[in-house]
Every structure is written in structure tokens, then in C-alpha cells.
């Protein structure tokens, strides 16, 4: 089945080849129907089978997935849901880590800005005092 789906003979399947195989390769189409996998499920099937996230399915990944899906008691829909939940969990952990790094960087930037403002504040007070003194002298001179 793999060789029939692998139209370009590269030894790996792209999503497009998997999609074409689902239409053109009768044995594969029948296997998908028995597993209750329709065209709308193909992208998720591809992501489940592509365990190394290379963007392609190699022969080993294909055989392992076909065997696992065909020989387990789980229903296909349950496997899809489990895959999605696992993927979402991994993504949420990654997003949380990214968020924590961003928050840390923002906190550090705010602390530096606060220190800079504190350093400028005494200078501003000195400049304001000098300006006020100069203005007062000018006013006295005009009297």
C-alpha cells in the first residue's frame, strides 16, 4: 500500500500523496473506510502518523501506525481525540514557557526603566531649582 501511495518513489509520503492515495489506491481507501477515517480526518491522521514531525511519513511510521490503529481495541475517533489532547497539552506547556520568558524580560525592562527614572529625578529637581532661582532673580531684577 505504501509503495502505491508513494507516487514519486521517494520513500516517504507527503500529505498530498496521502490525500491522493486515499482517492486512488483502493486498498488504502478501503482501510480508511474500515477505520472510519474520511477525507476530513486525513490531516489529523497524517499528523498522528508523522511522529517525528518531519512533514513526511516514512515507511516505518506508516507500518507502525497502520498496525497500531488496526490492531487496537480503541476506536479511531478516540485515538484522534487523544492525539489532539496530547498535542494541545504540549503546545500549552510550550506557550506557558514562552509567556514566562516574556514576562521575565518585561519585568527586567520595567525595573531598568524605574532605576533610570530614579536617577533622572534628582537631576530634574536640581534643574527645576536652578530654573526657579534664575526666574526669581530675573523677577527681582525687573522690580
Amino acid at each position: 500500500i505504501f509503495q502505491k501511495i508513494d507516487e514519486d518513489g521517494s520513500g516517504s509520503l507527503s500529505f498530498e500523496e496521502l490525500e491522493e492515495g486515499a482517492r486512488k489506491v483502493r486498498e488504502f481507501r478501503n482501510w480508511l473506510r474500515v477505520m472510519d477515517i474520511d477525507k476530513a480526518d486525513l490531516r489529523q491522521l497524517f499528523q498522528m502518523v508523522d511522529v517525528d514531525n518531519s512533514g513526511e511519513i516514512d515507511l516505518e511510521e506508516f507500518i507502525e501506525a497502520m498496525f497500531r490503529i488496526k490492531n487496537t481495541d480503541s476506536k479511531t475517533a478516540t485515538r484522534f481525540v487523544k492525539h489532539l489532547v496530547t498535542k494541545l497539552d504540549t503546545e500549552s506547556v510550550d506557550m506557558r514557557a514562552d509567556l514566562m520568558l516574556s514576562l521575565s524580560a518585561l519585568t527586567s525592562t520595567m525595573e531598568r526603566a524605574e532605576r533610570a527614572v530614579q536617577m533622572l529625578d534628582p537631576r530634574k529637581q536640581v534643574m527645576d531649582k536652578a530654573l526657579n532661582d534664575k526666574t526669581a532673580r530675573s523677577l527681582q531684577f525687573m522690580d
Side-chain angles (χ1 to χ4, degrees):
I1 293 176
F2 183 88
Q3 291 173 342
K4 289 179 181 178
I5 298 171
D6 184 18
E7 290 181 337
D8 63 3
S10 65
S12 60
L13 303 177
S14 66
F15 174 71
E16 291 75 20
E17 285 177 310
L18 189 76
E19 202 171 35
E20 282 292 309
R23 283 187 324 179
K24 292 181 178 180
V25 178
R26 188 172 52 88
E27 299 99 323
F28 186 52
R29 189 172 54 247
N30 290 340
W31 180 81
L32 292 171
R33 189 178 25 209
V34 167
M35 296 293 110
D36 195 28
I37 299 171
D38 60 20
K39 185 176 180 176
D41 298 325
L42 280 178
R43 175 65 68 181
Q44 192 172 353
L45 175 67
F46 184 84
Q47 292 171 344
M48 283 175 59
V49 176
D50 182 23
V51 293
D52 64 0
N53 294 316
S54 65
E56 296 184 324
I57 298 170
D58 61 35
L59 179 60
E60 184 179 320
E61 289 172 322
F62 185 80
I63 290 171
E64 185 179 318
M66 294 238 338
F67 179 81
R68 187 179 61 238
I69 292 171
K70 186 176 181 182
N71 293 308
T72 59
D73 292 333
S74 297
K75 298 286 180 205
T76 304
T78 305
R79 286 202 157 277
F80 279 4
V81 169
K82 181 180 177 186
H83 173 74
L84 278 176
V85 168
T86 302
K87 183 178 177 185
L88 288 171
D89 183 51
T90 301
E91 288 175 0
S92 71
V93 167
D94 292 346
M95 287 168 42
R96 185 174 191 275
D98 289 347
L99 183 59
M100 294 304 288
L101 284 173
S102 296
L103 183 58
S104 177
L106 180 60
T107 301
S108 177
T109 300
M110 288 178 63
E111 288 170 353
R112 283 195 313 271
E114 258 183 62
R115 286 192 302 271
V117 166
Q118 288 171 354
M119 287 174 54
L120 290 175
D121 191 46
R123 292 181 196 161
K124 183 179 180 297
Q125 289 174 0
V126 169
M127 289 176 65
D128 285 347
K129 185 177 182 322
L131 185 60
N132 287 339
D133 289 348
K134 187 174 182 180
T135 304
R137 280 188 303 237
S138 296
L139 289 174
Q140 286 175 352
F141 179 73
M142 295 175 104
D143 284 340

